[in-house]
């Protein structure tokens, strides 16, 4: 049996992984703590660790895991900005799940956008209180509007298909253009779009790509959708853009400082993050807690691909779905 320590385990992780672990001959220890320098010691005696978006695989964590005899980090997500890939090179094999259901994320982005544009989150609360007033619920048609999609990989392309179904004009920006999509430079995308949706990875180049300068180039009343990674947006600048009215709406499934709060019930605590608290107080901001991936199909695919990655590395000596630290793409 290959021994795998899974950090930051939630009940929905266990369901998917337990259903498939036996067929791959992998014994899984489900651990609740996140992987950090302090918790890395829990991996002692394991061949591999399995981590999620807010676990930390920094250089010191890599050193500690390697010293404990761990040989692999199996990400059960697609983004790998939380991994110091250079530090891991030659010490730990790092795999990810490049595609588990781009539709899950693209559909969630569309759900957030439709909700905020048509105020259905407010209607739901009103009608449950027998308040059937429509005042303040006026939205706008997406049909005929321009959507700017940054990053046209698997999720970006699925989102484009949805937007085309709504009758939107699609502009896109990517370092590696695909056929059949109208690409423009980032400046033009920012200045012509009524809705901007981010689907590129978080890298040194994309960090805070949406800041006050970028917001200043956008149309008045633009809607921003971010289901990718929080730090693509400078959250303080976003807040200023909302306060000034430049930004008409923000749909966020991710937040720059989410690691401290997301995935946990903080309802009894005082929110120490003033920017997050202020964003949440805005009528035109809709935040979900990094749940875009959370569909039955995605969870099953995540579990199967992660376990396959582990199996093929240890039993066949292969390097499936390796992360690449030089170009930021999945180089297999
Ligand atoms: P992908 O690798 O298929 O596509 C990413 C695209 O971004 C690629 O086409 C790439 O060329 C492009 N890109 C890279 N750098 C860029 C830049 N500087 N400017 C413009 N484009 C750039 O990835 P994907 O599966 O479509 O996922 C996209 C992102 O979605 C992931 O990086 C991850 O952060 C995020 N994600 C979020 C969730 C969630 O639950 N919220 C789930 C899965 C993935």
């Amino acid at each position: 049996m290959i021994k795998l320590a899974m950090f930051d385990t939630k009940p929905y992780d266990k369901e998917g992984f337990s259903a498939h672990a036996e067929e791959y001959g992998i014994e899984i220890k489900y651990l609740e703590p996140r992987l950090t320098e302090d918790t890395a010691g829990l991996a002692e005696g394991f061949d591999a660790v399995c981590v999620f978006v807010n676990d930390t695989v920094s250089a010191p964590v890599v050193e500690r895991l390697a010293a404990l005899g761990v040989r692999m980090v199996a990400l059960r997500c697609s983004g790998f900005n939380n991994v110091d890939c250079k530090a891991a090179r030659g010490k730990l094999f790092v795999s990810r799940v490049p595609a588990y259901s781009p539709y899950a994320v693209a559909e969630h982005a569309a759900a957030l956008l439709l909700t905020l544009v048509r105020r259905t989150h407010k209607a739901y609360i009103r009608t449950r209180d027998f308040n059937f007033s429509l005042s303040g619920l006026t939205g706008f048609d997406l049909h005929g509007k321009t959507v700017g999609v940054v990053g046209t990989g698997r999720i970006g392309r699925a989102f484009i298909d949805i937007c085309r179904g709504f009758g939107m004009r699609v502009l896109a920006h990517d370092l590696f253009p695909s056929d059949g999509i109208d690409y423009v430079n980032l400046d033009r995308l920012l200045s012509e779009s009524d809705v901007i949706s981010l689907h590129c990875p978080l890298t040194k180049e994309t960090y805070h790509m949406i800041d006050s300068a970028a917001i200043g180039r956008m149309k008045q009343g633009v809607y921003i959708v971010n289901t990718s990674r929080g730090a693509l947006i400078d959250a303080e600048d976003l807040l200023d853009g909302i306060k000034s009215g430049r930004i008409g709406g923000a749909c966020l499934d991710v937040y720059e400082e989410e690691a401290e709060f997301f995935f946990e019930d903080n309802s009894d605590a005082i929110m120490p993050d003033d920017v997050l608290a202020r964003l949440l107080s805005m009528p035109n901001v809709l935040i979900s807690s990094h749940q875009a991936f959370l569909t039955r199909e995605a969870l099953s695919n995540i579990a199967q691909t992660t376990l396959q990655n582990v199996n093929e590395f240890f039993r066949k000596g292969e390097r499936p779905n390796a992360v690449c630290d030089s170009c930021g793409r999945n180089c297999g």
Side-chain angles (χ1 to χ4, degrees):
M1 281 285 204
I2 300 165
K3 294 183 79 182
L4 176 70
M6 182 182 293
F7 283 84
D8 198 13
T9 308
K10 295 284 185 281
Y12 47 82
D13 293 313
K14 274 191 201 172
E15 267 177 49
F17 277 82
S18 299
H20 299 287
E22 220 179 284
E23 71 191 77
Y24 289 102
I26 297 172
E27 187 185 316
I28 306 176
K29 172 93 172 167
Y30 297 103
L31 303 167
E32 284 187 16
R34 285 189 183 156
L35 178 61
T36 62
E37 277 185 67
D38 293 336
T39 62
L42 294 170
E44 186 165 10
F46 289 88
D47 303 300
V49 296
C50 179
V51 302
F52 195 50
V53 293
N54 289 320
D55 290 296
T56 305
V57 191
S58 58
V61 171
V62 167
E63 292 301 328
R64 182 92 173 98
L65 292 177
L68 291 171
V70 172
R71 291 173 52 208
M72 175 176 185
V73 174
L75 292 162
R76 55 181 190 280
C77 52
S78 95
F80 51 92
N81 51 287
N82 52 333
V83 179
D84 187 331
C85 298
K86 286 202 169 77
R89 191 186 287 161
K91 297 195 176 88
L92 294 170
F93 169 59
V94 185
S95 71
R96 65 175 187 139
V97 183
Y100 41 87
S101 172
Y103 314 107
V105 183
E107 288 170 15
H108 190 74
L112 290 177
L113 179 62
L114 280 176
T115 303
L116 198 60
V117 166
R118 299 307 304 271
R119 314 278 189 259
T120 42
H121 55 313
K122 293 191 179 297
Y124 172 78
I125 292 167
R126 280 192 193 181
T127 56
R128 289 178 75 82
D129 207 22
F130 303 102
N131 174 356
F132 301 110
S133 160
L134 297 183
S135 300
L137 299 186
T138 307
F140 60 84
D141 291 6
L142 288 175
H143 182 93
K145 298 291 185 304
T146 299
V147 58
V149 177
V150 183
T152 56
R154 298 169 188 88
I155 297 170
R157 288 199 303 271
F159 185 72
I160 286 173
D161 286 345
I162 294 171
C163 292
R164 284 180 173 156
F166 289 148
M168 300 183 84
R169 169 186 175 233
V170 178
L171 294 179
H173 175 70
D174 196 304
L175 307 176
F176 302 93
S178 308
D179 289 341
I181 298 173
D182 193 2
Y183 287 94
V184 293
N185 63 34
L186 189 59
D187 272 358
R188 199 174 141 204
L189 182 147
L190 296 178
S191 64
E192 289 189 21
S193 300
D194 303 294
V195 174
I196 295 170
S197 194
L198 305 179
H199 299 288
C200 59
L202 176 62
T203 61
K204 274 197 263 17
E205 292 71 38
T206 61
Y207 176 79
H208 283 186
M209 71 189 305
I210 304 300
D211 59 7
S212 56
I215 291 168
R217 289 196 281 277
M218 293 176 191
K219 272 187 171 176
Q220 188 71 18
V222 63
Y223 271 53
I224 297 181
V225 183
N226 187 9
T227 54
S228 195
R229 285 291 180 267
L232 294 177
I233 299 181
D234 182 322
E236 289 192 34
D237 289 358
L238 179 75
L239 183 57
D240 288 343
I242 290 164
K243 284 198 221 161
S244 74
R246 165 78 63 170
I247 294 170
C251 305
L252 310 175
D253 186 52
V254 286
Y255 173 67
E256 199 172 353
E257 303 299 332
E258 70 176 50
E260 263 188 78
F261 314 109
F262 279 23
F263 303 112
E264 306 299 334
D265 180 359
N266 293 290
S267 54
D268 272 347
I270 303 296
M271 171 50 64
D273 184 323
D274 289 349
V275 175
L276 180 58
R278 191 79 173 96
L279 283 171
L280 281 164
S281 77
M282 296 288 180
N284 54 350
V285 174
L286 184 57
I287 298 184
S288 55
S289 178
H290 206 137
Q291 77 174 73
F293 73 98
L294 198 64
T295 66
R296 283 195 298 271
E297 293 79 0
L299 288 173
S300 176
N301 292 340
I302 286 170
Q304 292 203 54
T305 304
T306 306
L307 293 170
Q308 257 167 31
N309 289 343
V310 173
N311 183 49
E312 287 174 12
F313 175 69
F314 284 100
R315 296 215 170 87
K316 301 183 187 167
E318 291 171 5
R319 299 172 69 80
N321 295 318
V323 301
C324 174
D325 57 354
S326 52
C327 66
R329 287 163 76 82
N330 172 34
C331 299

